[in-house]
Amino acid sequence: MEDWRTGQEILVMEGRIKVPYRWAAGETGTRYLQALRDEMRFLGTRCPQCGVVYHPPRRHCPDCGTECEWRELASRGVLVTYTVVRRHHSQLTPLDIPFAYGIIRLEGADTGFLHLLHEFAEGELRAGMEVEAVFATEREGSVRDVRYFRPLREAV
Amino acid sequence: MEPVAVVGVGMTRMERERRPDGYADLVYEAVCLALADAGMTIDQVDNVVTISNDFFDGRTISSMAVQDACGSYDKNISTVEGDGAFGAFYGLMRILSGSFGTTLVCAHHKGSESDMSLITNAMFDPVYERSLGIEAVTSAALQARAYMDRYGVSEEDCALVSVKNRANALRNPLAQLPLELTVEEVMSSPYLAEPLKVLDCCPVSDGAAALVLASAERARKAAGKPVWVRGVAHCCDAYHLGDRDLSDVRALQRAAAKAYSMAGIDDPAREIDVVELYDAFSYMELMWLEGLGFCGRGEAGRLTAGGATSLEGNTPVNASGGCLAGNPVLVAGLNRIIECALQVRGEAGEHQVEGVRTAVAQGINGPCGQSHCVWVLGGER
Amino acid sequence: MAGEKNGEGKEAKEERKELIKLESGEAEQPFRWSAGTYGSRFLSELRDNCRFVGVRCPCCGRVYVPPRRVCGPCFRELTELVPVSDEGEVITFTVVSFGFVDPSTGRQKPVPYGYAVIKLDGADTYILHYLDETDPGKIKVGARVKAVFAEERSGSMLDVKHFALLRA
Amino acid sequence: MGKRVAVVGVGMTRQRSSRPDVNGQELIHEAVRAALADAGMKRDDIDAVVIGNMDHFEGINYVDTWSVDGSGALMKPIMKLTTGGTTGSTVAMAAYYHVASGLFDRVLAIGWEKNSESDTTGAIITAFDPFWDRPIFAGAVAGLALEATQYMHLTGATEEDAAYVAVRERRHALNNPFAHLHINLTVEDVMNSPYLSWPVKMGDMCPRTDGACALVFASEDLVEEFPNQPAWILAVADRHLWAYTSDPYVNQALENGWWFPALEWAAREVYDKVGVREPLKEIDVAELYLPYSFAGLRYMESLGFCPRGGGPELVRSGATDMGGECPVNPSGGVMSSNAIGATGLLRVAECALQIQGRAEDRQVPDVRLALATGFGGCFWSDVLLMGREKPERSRG
């Protein structure tokens, strides 16, 4: 007898998981996002034990667990590394292609943070170059209140 | 460490889409292969560790789907959510505890059923990073750039890894992406995120794997030649990408140092005969080789170009074709261990390396190789 | 034990102080789940023939509905297809009346509804399905039920609209 | 032979309905810091970390690597386990095996959840098969209601019998400053609370909670180093039997009257290892994963505290109250706090505190033998027996 499994049509279900999430930024995250939203300022936190200034801010030092203190950071800094993105993804891609992701160490911080880069010329990006934040006009309390970073333009 | 051996292994073929089979079907196939290899029945399995990920499976408690298929009925069982190398480590510890003589470890993955970019975007922090759209490929590209900039590694150096591993895969009947490639072809494939091009990246895969671990006493009763676990360790680096020097491999170095010290290995390049590592992207093979101590930092490109890591070289790396030839995520680390076991047994078929006595397998968790697990396997206890 | 003092009296403080939350909005994870060979057989029988099928374990004789490849207790592969009835018995039931988000849509699921664990005649494992009744007083364990098929069928469990309680 | 293992440090956050003042890593950090302080340790002293939660409650993938800022696992081994409701007890068992293996001497076990960040029922529904179960299934509340209906049908137990359990758990929680719900309920209050999913009412169910728990497990070679008396792990076992939500009902019938095979078989294994014959007499305190009131009847029977169908009489007798023969859930249990990934670990934490005589207002006198369980998945069970005396040998 022929095995019924041979030649069985295979059904595929197009489904999804769509659970709505509301992630708490916490007191530390809230203060950071408020500064971005209300004052267009970056804040980091410094571990009094290790002396490291973390950005994004940490309530406690990831290394030693000590409670950190607030530090103001510049809105410009150094591009540590980057990648120019050439592929579009319908749900994810945040800016027109090509844009870049970069790890940016702001002046005053010891760690880099991840953000977007735009307004750069083809081949312009280099590790070690200076970049500056471009803030959104409408800000809502998220890291996207910074639209992106761009190569630092000398004051006109 | 008390002696524990890999006594049975089973891998399904890696395929782009294994439509007729669900997770349970894949796991059943791999488990049956591993039991047959060990010459054991399910009754001789004392406990089970499954490996799966709720995000990839689109299913909370993803292990639930495979409860029938993994043969765990009325046995102790647990589930590690992470790469197979970590899951197997838990299986090993359960034997070392003295509570069990054998552990069956199995992993499954069906990349064909989900959107890899969305799944890996979810490993980034929802407050600070996720809304930027970063995911596995774009984050890896940041690391590739950092590594290449720091050590002067070229895109061609990386492309050569792709060429080598896809060529190795021509000898592996289970590989998904055996290809005869040239460096030029890799170089001219389109960029996804610079410097990563399509041919630098692993494919999306479906697959499953299983292995049976046994204490020395129980290993004697198994059919095949036991392959002994001589050392194993893992270590996790910082989470936020900007907290790390992405070109650095300190977590891998620490894991490797511990595993080597357990195994009594002083000079990996001389003492280890074959390496299976997590090359989801071509540059990773170079970085991880350096982290595993096979050469100095920044030297793996030259090592590769000189042929040392080819099938005929001193230390063949990813003789199976590695993740570049098929990457069922989570299963990948188990496949690395299994390939090492087969190499030590001299049963790796067409991609067998001559005279393998000691082998190293590696698996990773998290973005940009944040967490590494290193296994040293050998023919002698 | 070292208890943490954080979290004490927070509820009161929250009213005064803004605490930002980030929302996932319309984000979702799409999937293309394969029903596998066994599930596909079951679902295509529902769709094409309004019929239930199971598979019998060669070892313990259990008939699995919906079908699956492996009998867990026996660890044996199942191959023998067995037709089972579209009538059966309520093993247990509930009537859901609380609101919750349906993760398949991201929206509130309409309530109330009754659903049951149902043993189809000829099967040894059970299925879950809707009942056509929302008054728990009118449902009994052991009640007889019969599948009511949808007019439009696409190869899913919802090709059965619900199970109707068979009243004597 | 494996090492013998003890819990030597306990840390937990206060369990709350919502903790918007901290993100997930910060919540984890609170419990970790408390556990380390309790054990008199620094982060550097930890050899390995084991962590667990349920991914879809917070929507975070790879929680092991994500958690590092809070878990203290920076440049250490960290492993994630997840098995659903049993996650916390699974994490405890994994920490046990880490130490028993001899590879690690001091291991941190972390369980946590922020249920406030999603729709808990929506997230739980994703645990079930997208083809057979998900279109119909309505999450834990309704799934448990199926069990309650069947239990009442088979034993003649009533909703009121279950309400006694709900009242006991909430009354016990009044003694526990860490508990989420501090409400004094009567049987009438429970009976008058609205149905969520018949026959389960609001008063019968656990809450949704934000919270974390962390424990330090240490090897027998080092227990002298710690300020606390060791709470020894005597035996652990689990059974995770089924793949589909309607399977457990099948197996009860097929296994000739097995009531709740996963729990019964796991309990039998640990009882055999330790030599427990009469659980009610021999076990001094039990911290059980009772997610809703009916569990406090049926699971007692499966654990051998009373004959099948004897749950209602046992509970009404007061034997499981504070001062009774074997107090159950002096902490208030799951029905008073349920941060799911933390819940199973909290049961182990509470047993450790009881054994160490540090449970304060909820202390049961002279605890020598304590039982902890985890419940979850598709009627899955984890069981741990803990004791004051160092066991003769390792027998996990």
Side-chain angles (χ1 to χ4, degrees):
Chain A
M1 195 180 76
E2 200 191 337
D3 191 333
W4 61 269
R5 296 177 292 186
T6 316
Q8 171 64 48
E9 169 202 9
I10 303 300
L11 302 181
V12 171
M13 183 202 282
E14 304 264 350
R16 65 187 50 73
I17 290 185
K18 192 173 181 182
V19 178
Y21 294 101
R22 296 184 74 228
W23 294 288
E27 287 171 352
T28 303
T30 294
R31 179 158 175 198
Y32 172 76
L33 295 173
Q34 282 170 334
L36 282 187
R37 180 190 64 190
D38 303 339
E39 304 163 50
M40 296 193 284
R41 281 194 310 145
F42 287 94
L43 298 178
T45 58
R46 178 180 179 276
C47 171
Q49 191 82 31
C50 309
V52 176
V53 178
Y54 290 98
H55 179 229
R58 257 41 78 82
R59 187 174 189 139
H60 294 93
C61 175
D63 212 353
C64 69
T66 307
E67 188 157 357
C68 293
E69 56 203 26
W70 289 100
R71 275 287 185 282
E72 184 148 348
L73 308 174
S75 57
R76 54 188 262 184
V78 170
L79 185 60
V80 177
T81 189
Y82 63 94
T83 175
V84 179
V85 181
R86 305 284 180 187
R87 182 179 60 165
H88 179 84
H89 186 287
S90 59
Q91 250 197 76
L92 292 177
T93 305
L95 295 171
D96 292 339
I97 298 230
F99 71 96
Y101 288 106
I103 290 179
I104 297 135
R105 191 167 54 239
L106 294 182
E107 278 177 33
D110 293 310
T111 67
F113 97 122
L114 180 73
H115 216 284
L116 308 167
L117 295 154
H118 216 29
E119 278 191 60
F120 53 84
E122 190 72 37
E124 184 186 4
L125 297 181
R126 288 280 176 278
M129 76 191 301
E130 287 199 283
V131 294
E132 63 184 355
V134 177
F135 281 86
T137 328
E138 303 277 315
R139 294 181 303 278
E140 54 181 16
S142 93
V143 291
R144 298 294 296 279
D145 288 349
V146 180
R147 285 173 65 200
Y148 48 79
F149 283 75
R150 66 182 176 200
L152 182 66
R153 314 273 190 238
E154 295 307 325
V156 182
Chain B
M1 188 175 78
E2 296 280 314
V4 175
V6 176
V7 298
V9 298
M11 297 182 283
T12 69
R13 265 187 59 125
M14 295 174 281
E15 296 174 44
R16 172 64 191 88
E17 185 175 12
R18 179 77 173 255
R19 197 177 269 199
D21 292 315
Y23 312 131
D25 306 315
L26 284 167
V27 163
Y28 183 67
E29 180 179 327
V31 167
C32 287
L33 288 168
L35 289 175
D37 184 52
M40 293 167 71
T41 64
I42 197 70
D43 302 333
Q44 291 162 279
V45 168
D46 292 354
N47 87 112
V48 179
V49 172
T50 67
I51 295 154
S52 57
N53 174 291
D54 293 3
F55 266 88
F56 282 114
D57 286 6
R59 187 169 171 157
T60 294
I61 326 180
S62 43
S63 55
M64 202 192 299
V66 304
Q67 293 305 306
D68 295 321
C70 71
S72 66
Y73 194 76
D74 200 13
K75 298 183 198 303
N76 279 272
I77 177 171
S78 198
T79 301
V80 171
E81 190 171 29
D83 179 66
F86 295 77
F89 188 34
Y90 186 32
L92 170 79
M93 287 190 282
R94 285 163 74 107
I95 292 175
L96 291 173
S97 75
S99 296
F100 305 103
T102 59
T103 304
L104 171 68
V105 182
C106 58
H108 66 267
H109 180 76
K110 289 193 80 179
S112 65
E113 298 194 346
S114 61
D115 181 322
M116 176 68 77
S117 295
L118 289 174
I119 301 275
T120 55
N121 172 248
M123 66 184 171
F124 289 93
D125 188 79
V127 176
Y128 296 110
E129 287 138 6
R130 196 178 298 183
S131 65
L132 303 171
I134 187 96
E135 43 74 74
V137 176
T138 40
S139 57
L142 288 169
Q143 182 170 45
R145 171 67 66 201
Y147 168 67
M148 291 162 68
D149 276 359
R150 175 157 169 194
Y151 294 108
V153 175
S154 68
E155 290 187 45
E156 286 84 353
D157 293 336
C158 299
L160 196 56
V161 172
S162 264
V163 171
K164 168 181 74 78
N165 291 357
R166 264 78 182 244
N168 290 350
L170 292 166
R171 298 161 177 257
N172 178 2
L174 301 181
Q176 175 184 342
L177 211 57
L179 288 173
E180 276 183 80
L181 279 179
T182 62
V183 168
E184 292 68 37
E185 285 171 307
V186 177
M187 291 299 292
S188 58
S189 65
Y191 281 110
L192 296 175
E194 295 175 9
L196 299 182
K197 298 165 291 295
V198 169
L199 288 174
D200 287 311
C201 304
C202 63
V204 171
S205 310
D206 288 355
L211 61 81
V212 181
L213 294 164
S215 65
E217 188 193 334
R218 297 289 289 277
R220 274 198 293 275
K221 297 176 191 158
K225 181 181 157 194
V227 175
W228 299 97
V229 181
R230 293 187 42 202
V232 55
H234 60 114
C235 181
C236 186
D237 207 330
Y239 172 66
H240 292 285
L241 298 180
D243 283 7
R244 294 162 60 187
D245 173 349
L246 286 178
S247 68
D248 195 77
V249 287
R250 60 178 189 159
L252 176 55
Q253 286 169 329
R254 185 174 291 191
K258 174 93 180 290
Y260 292 161
S261 108
M262 290 167 83
I265 286 174
D266 302 316
D267 181 354
R270 197 170 52 77
E271 297 173 66
I272 290 162
D273 304 309
V274 69
V275 181
E276 284 279 336
L277 53 71
Y278 205 102
D279 57 332
F281 304 95
S282 55
Y283 80 90
M284 281 188 169
E285 176 162 313
L286 303 180
M287 277 187 77
W288 305 160
L289 266 178
E290 295 165 16
L292 286 165
F294 285 86
C295 57
R297 292 306 321 271
E299 291 173 6
R302 251 174 295 149
L303 198 70
T304 305
T309 62
S310 72
L311 269 183
E312 299 75 27
N314 260 347
T315 315
V317 177
N318 288 334
S320 67
C323 299
L324 285 166
N327 187 21
V329 185
L330 310 186
V331 177
L334 219 46
N335 280 350
R336 305 279 76 70
I337 295 171
I338 290 171
E339 287 289 350
C340 283
L342 291 171
Q343 289 286 354
V344 171
R345 277 160 51 170
E347 294 172 11
E350 291 288 300
H351 58 285
Q352 178 66 45
V353 173
E354 290 278 308
V356 175
R357 298 176 55 186
T358 309
V360 163
Q362 175 237 17
I364 66 176
N365 274 335
C368 302
Q370 186 189 338
S371 182
H372 295 262
C373 187
V374 177
W375 287 67
V376 182
L377 298 162
E380 283 95 49
R381 278 159 68 160
Chain C
M1 182 188 56
E4 279 290 319
K5 295 305 173 199
N6 289 347
E8 263 187 300
K10 291 290 180 198
E11 276 92 341
K13 255 190 342 191
E14 278 162 38
E15 289 168 25
R16 280 178 278 129
K17 207 167 65 179
E18 180 196 22
L19 286 168
I20 290 176
K21 290 190 174 185
L22 287 303
E23 302 201 359
S24 60
E26 291 300 305
E28 61 176 48
Q29 295 280 355
F31 290 92
R32 298 176 67 251
W33 288 295
S34 164
T37 306
Y38 287 72
S40 293
R41 179 58 178 237
F42 178 85
L43 294 172
S44 56
E45 289 280 354
L46 280 190
R47 179 191 64 194
D48 301 338
N49 305 315
C50 295
R51 191 162 66 189
F52 291 91
V53 293
V55 286
R56 192 193 312 273
C57 175
C59 195
C60 67
R62 264 171 254 203
V63 173
Y64 283 89
V65 179
R68 61 187 83 176
R69 184 174 177 183
V70 186
C71 171
C74 302
F75 199 61
R76 284 285 290 272
E77 187 163 13
L78 313 175
T79 56
E80 185 194 350
L81 273 185
V82 183
V84 296
S85 174
D86 63 349
E87 285 191 31
E89 168 190 338
V90 170
I91 296 296
T92 183
F93 68 94
T94 183
V95 175
V96 185
S97 47
F98 71 105
F100 63 92
V101 170
D102 181 346
S104 304
T105 62
R107 310 270 177 264
Q108 289 286 318
K109 177 122 169 173
V111 289
Y113 66 87
Y115 80 100
V117 173
I118 294 162
K119 178 186 182 302
L120 296 176
D121 297 340
D124 290 302
T125 71
Y126 310 154
I127 58 170
L128 281 187
H129 222 294
Y130 295 120
L131 296 174
D132 64 344
E133 178 59 66
T134 57
D135 178 355
K138 293 185 178 158
I139 314 169
K140 292 278 178 293
V141 172
R144 298 288 302 169
V145 289
K146 183 177 175 66
V148 175
F149 284 87
E151 300 271 309
E152 302 272 313
R153 295 184 302 278
S154 61
S156 103
M157 271 310 248
L158 299 181
D159 287 354
V160 176
K161 275 201 295 195
H162 57 252
F163 277 76
L165 286 161
L166 297 177
R167 287 150 178 112
Chain D
M1 190 48 69
K3 296 284 185 188
R4 286 165 287 187
V5 182
V7 175
V8 297
V10 176
M12 56 181 82
T13 65
R14 282 164 197 267
Q15 310 290 307
R16 291 288 180 262
S17 62
S18 172
R19 285 293 307 276
D21 58 311
V22 286
N23 68 17
Q25 293 126 328
E26 292 162 353
L27 183 75
I28 290 165
H29 177 79
E30 280 182 22
V32 168
R33 191 175 49 186
L36 293 177
D38 188 48
M41 296 170 76
K42 295 194 192 67
R43 282 177 168 222
D44 290 348
D45 302 329
I46 291 291
D47 298 326
V49 183
V50 185
I51 191 164
N53 73 311
M54 285 166 81
D55 302 11
H56 286 111
F57 286 127
E58 294 82 11
I60 296 167
N61 199 0
Y62 287 94
V63 154
D64 48 342
T65 56
W66 166 85
S67 69
V68 165
D69 283 359
S71 62
L74 182 61
M75 293 304 286
K76 294 184 194 300
I78 181 166
M79 181 180 286
K80 185 184 179 208
L81 292 97
T82 186
T83 57
T86 42
T87 291
S89 43
T90 290
V91 163
M93 288 165 66
Y96 167 81
Y97 285 117
H98 269 66
V99 178
S101 74
L103 295 182
F104 303 101
D105 289 328
R106 307 168 193 86
V107 172
L108 189 61
I110 304 168
W112 72 284
E113 213 77 74
K114 284 195 90 180
N115 280 307
S116 67
E117 296 195 341
S118 69
D119 184 280
T120 303
T121 292
I124 288 179
I125 289 170
T126 67
F128 291 88
D129 190 276
F131 290 94
W132 319 127
D133 298 331
R134 214 175 289 183
I136 293 123
F137 194 65
V141 180
L144 293 167
L146 294 172
E147 184 196 34
T149 303
Q150 189 186 42
Y151 177 76
M152 291 197 294
H153 173 75
L154 292 173
T155 64
T158 64
E159 293 176 51
E160 194 172 42
D161 291 330
Y164 276 88
V165 176
V167 168
R168 178 196 70 203
E169 302 282 276
R170 273 59 177 264
R171 189 172 61 240
H172 287 181
L174 296 173
N175 296 325
N176 179 5
F178 293 88
H180 170 183
L181 296 183
H182 287 119
I183 45 171
N184 214 345
L185 278 184
T186 63
V187 169
E188 291 68 39
D189 293 335
V190 177
M191 292 301 289
N192 291 331
S193 65
Y195 282 109
L196 297 174
S197 190
W198 187 93
V200 171
K201 296 171 290 299
M202 182 86 89
D204 291 309
M205 276 313 298
C206 57
R208 304 162 67 224
T209 305
D210 286 1
C213 177
L215 298 184
V216 179
F217 286 70
S219 155
E220 58 180 310
D221 302 335
L222 300 178
V223 291
E224 305 296 329
E225 287 178 8
F226 299 94
N228 302 318
Q229 183 189 338
W232 295 98
I233 306 289
L234 305 182
V236 303
D238 70 74
R239 293 294 185 277
H240 296 181
L241 294 177
W242 302 295
Y244 300 103
T245 179
S246 40
D247 284 355
Y249 304 95
V250 174
N251 283 275
Q252 281 162 19
L254 288 175
E255 307 301 335
N256 270 336
W258 282 111
W259 207 225
F260 180 171
L263 181 56
E264 286 167 47
W265 298 350
R268 184 183 59 193
E269 183 176 328
V270 297
Y271 291 165
D272 285 351
K273 281 177 179 166
V274 178
V276 172
R277 290 197 175 79
E278 296 178 83
L280 184 65
K281 280 197 185 135
E282 297 173 50
I283 293 168
D284 301 306
V285 65
E287 276 285 342
L288 308 179
Y289 197 124
L290 307 177
Y292 79 132
S293 59
F294 289 88
L297 307 172
R298 183 169 177 244
Y299 303 0
M300 301 309 294
E301 300 161 19
S302 295
L303 286 164
F305 280 76
C306 60
R308 286 175 191 165
E313 191 188 329
L314 177 76
V315 169
R316 287 186 192 238
S317 77
T320 61
D321 293 348
M322 293 302 278
E325 193 166 9
C326 177
V328 171
N329 292 341
S331 67
V334 187
M335 289 171 65
S336 305
S337 311
N338 192 20
I340 300 180
T343 300
L345 195 59
L346 279 170
R347 307 280 72 72
V348 178
E350 291 290 341
C351 284
L353 293 175
Q354 291 285 353
I355 287 165
Q356 294 166 335
R358 300 195 296 148
E360 299 180 342
D361 290 346
R362 56 194 191 279
Q363 180 67 46
V364 173
D366 195 30
V367 172
R368 308 182 73 80
L369 190 60
L371 177 71
T373 67
F375 166 90
C378 203
F379 288 89
W380 292 354
S381 285
D382 293 355
V383 181
L384 299 92
L385 262 180
M386 299 169 66
R388 192 194 295 173
E389 304 301 328
K390 185 174 174 178
E392 283 166 26
R393 60 188 178 83
S394 157
R395 58 195 161 192

